[in-house]
Amino acid sequence: MNHLVRAFPFPDALSTGASPAPHPLLAPVTGFLGTWRGTGSGGYPTLEADFTYAQEVTFSHDGRPFLAYEARAWLLDADGKPLRPSARETGWWRLQPDGRVEALITQPTGIAEILSGHASDGTVGLATEQVSLAPTAKQVDATRRRYTLADPDTLAFVHDLAAVGRPLQHHLSAELRRTAPGQGG
């Protein structure tokens, strides 16, 4: 049976009124809800030089026990102007009753990560459980990520990487400021 649907897009949560309340399992991460923007620096032994970048990260929810996650980055020149888009990823953080976090993160470069960790005291630490690669993707063996609320409007981000035959080591760090509040957060 084919029905004509007149209203698109459908809301994330099918309820009347305001955004849904966060699921109780999201309690350890409700401070992360919203959009965050800032700058950071990065490097890796296989790169020609260290670099600076701008980053935007958004955490949202639809009332179920997981966060939607999206991150975008742009390489910056010496004057802080964008040179070109850089990293982009999207995924889900699944919260468990004991504060454990299971994250699924994919990148358009052909990398899909499953990470796990823990959320407590305004910090989420995640480490790779498994990495899957498309046939032409760069070799990535492991990552470790740490997101820390330095205060209610400042999110610190650190990303370690083991790739292309190199051991796990520092790759990125950024300080992001909240630019938009989160739903129900």
Side-chain angles (χ1 to χ4, degrees):
M1 174 182 269
N2 193 356
H3 294 271
L4 179 61
V5 178
R6 297 185 191 276
F8 269 97
F10 291 120
D12 274 344
L14 298 176
S15 65
T16 58
S19 297
H23 189 283
L25 287 178
L26 294 182
V29 295
T30 56
F32 289 80
L33 290 169
T35 298
W36 305 80
R37 292 186 184 127
T39 58
S41 60
Y44 206 69
T46 58
L47 299 175
E48 242 178 69
D50 290 349
F51 57 90
T52 58
Y53 69 100
Q55 184 172 25
E56 177 184 82
V57 176
T58 300
F59 296 99
S60 60
H61 75 94
D62 64 5
R64 294 180 286 170
F66 47 82
L67 293 182
Y69 163 83
E70 182 177 10
R72 303 183 305 159
W74 299 263
L75 289 177
L76 300 177
D77 68 14
D79 296 321
K81 292 186 172 61
L83 292 169
R84 65 177 173 82
S86 184
R88 187 159 193 169
E89 54 189 31
T90 187
W92 305 98
W93 287 16
R94 301 175 51 203
L95 278 287
Q96 304 302 311
D98 59 358
R100 282 182 306 120
V101 181
E102 299 172 349
L104 300 88
I105 298 175
T106 61
Q107 301 168 21
T109 54
I111 301 165
E113 299 176 59
I114 297 175
L115 305 105
S116 65
H118 200 265
S120 67
D121 301 325
T123 298
V124 175
L126 298 169
T128 301
E129 292 288 334
Q130 185 174 351
V131 177
S132 293
L133 304 170
T136 58
K138 170 181 74 175
Q139 181 64 42
V140 172
D141 298 308
T143 66
R144 183 172 48 215
R145 299 157 185 254
R146 187 172 183 87
Y147 303 81
T148 303
L149 289 171
D151 62 55
D153 291 316
T154 306
L155 179 65
F157 170 68
V158 177
H159 183 183
D160 298 333
L161 175 68
V164 293
R166 303 292 178 140
L168 189 66
Q169 59 194 287
H170 179 74
H171 176 45
L172 304 169
S173 59
E175 185 173 288
L176 311 175
R177 301 288 297 165
R178 186 187 305 273
T179 62
Q183 326 153 258

